[in-house]
Amino acid sequence: MRHAFLTDEQIDARALAHRRGLGFRDDRAIDFAKLMARLKARYPNFTYERVADHGLGEAEAQWDSQAKRLLITDTVFEGADRGEGRALMAVAHAVGHALLGHEGTFNRSPAGSPAERFSPKLRSMEYQARRYAAAFLIPDTPAVRALDATGLSRRYHVSMSAAIVRHSELRSGENASVSPSRPGGVAG
């Protein structure tokens, strides 16, 4: 799949569809172990590996579209397994590259990629993956929009800074159409 321009609403809709398609409820945090198992079950070519810290340089995770492989550093793997927000965001960012069909090798690092400054295409794909990660971890539903940043952080196990950014995104798109909430949802 070639890189396509996606609006914020399209990214949010895809993240919500993927979240639900993988069997996660709208009102619960993503469980890392279940996410990895469900990705492998739904996408048979998808693989993931745990690598030593600094095995990816400064990157925390890496998606390689050709190998269909997600590499996750030990620290991020262990943090995501404990439900730590920053680690979950790193994994969700890499999953975003995968499920948005971005072609290439993408490193998720705290400082971002120097190449982003020079490549509008790469900058766009990184923006999409960041937006996707937030939308995947914190779905855009009417019930979620009613929560404040503290509520988002607690319910979805994301950092307060991520919750504040997502809360702002949800507020800025308040007049946009949102997917209806599914009270019972799929067992998560």
Side-chain angles (χ1 to χ4, degrees):
M1 178 186 297
R2 296 175 55 86
H3 168 68
F5 173 79
L6 298 171
T7 65
D8 290 347
E9 293 78 20
Q10 290 170 321
I11 295 167
D12 286 4
R14 286 187 187 191
L16 182 62
H18 290 147
R19 180 188 174 92
R20 288 176 174 172
L22 289 167
F24 291 103
R25 292 174 51 132
D26 294 345
D27 62 346
R28 300 233 176 110
I30 297 288
D31 177 271
F32 171 69
K34 287 180 183 177
L35 174 61
M36 293 296 102
R38 291 174 185 181
L39 284 168
K40 284 182 67 79
R42 182 156 184 153
Y43 305 101
N45 293 331
F46 171 86
T47 62
Y48 70 93
E49 294 176 30
R50 188 173 169 167
V51 298
D53 287 338
H54 305 294
L56 299 174
E58 294 200 15
E60 300 168 320
Q62 179 187 83
W63 169 248
D64 179 343
S65 67
Q66 186 173 356
K68 306 265 187 273
R69 182 181 62 221
L70 173 59
L71 299 177
I72 308 166
T73 62
D74 285 333
T75 298
V76 170
F77 192 97
E78 291 165 7
D81 204 34
R82 286 190 301 268
E84 293 174 5
R86 189 161 174 8
L88 288 170
M89 190 63 77
V91 171
H93 179 98
V95 167
H97 282 302
L99 297 184
L100 290 170
H102 294 167
E103 292 182 354
T105 300
F106 300 91
N107 291 314
R108 165 70 166 125
S109 61
S113 160
E116 284 181 63
R117 290 189 291 256
F118 304 107
S119 169
K121 179 180 175 181
L122 183 56
R123 192 168 37 252
S124 173
M125 288 189 288
E126 287 300 328
Y127 172 81
Q128 288 180 8
R130 280 191 291 276
R131 176 79 186 209
Y132 181 96
F136 187 74
L137 294 176
I138 305 172
D140 185 358
T141 66
V144 170
R145 284 176 176 258
L147 296 173
D148 63 10
T150 301
L152 293 176
S153 178
R154 287 183 182 148
R155 178 173 292 173
Y156 295 104
H157 303 172
V158 298
S159 69
M160 183 53 85
S161 61
I164 290 169
V165 169
R166 185 64 176 152
H167 185 261
S168 175
E169 290 173 353
L170 295 172
R171 291 286 176 237
S172 71
E174 225 159 43
N175 295 326
S177 120
V178 293
S179 298
S181 188
R182 296 187 315 176
V186 177

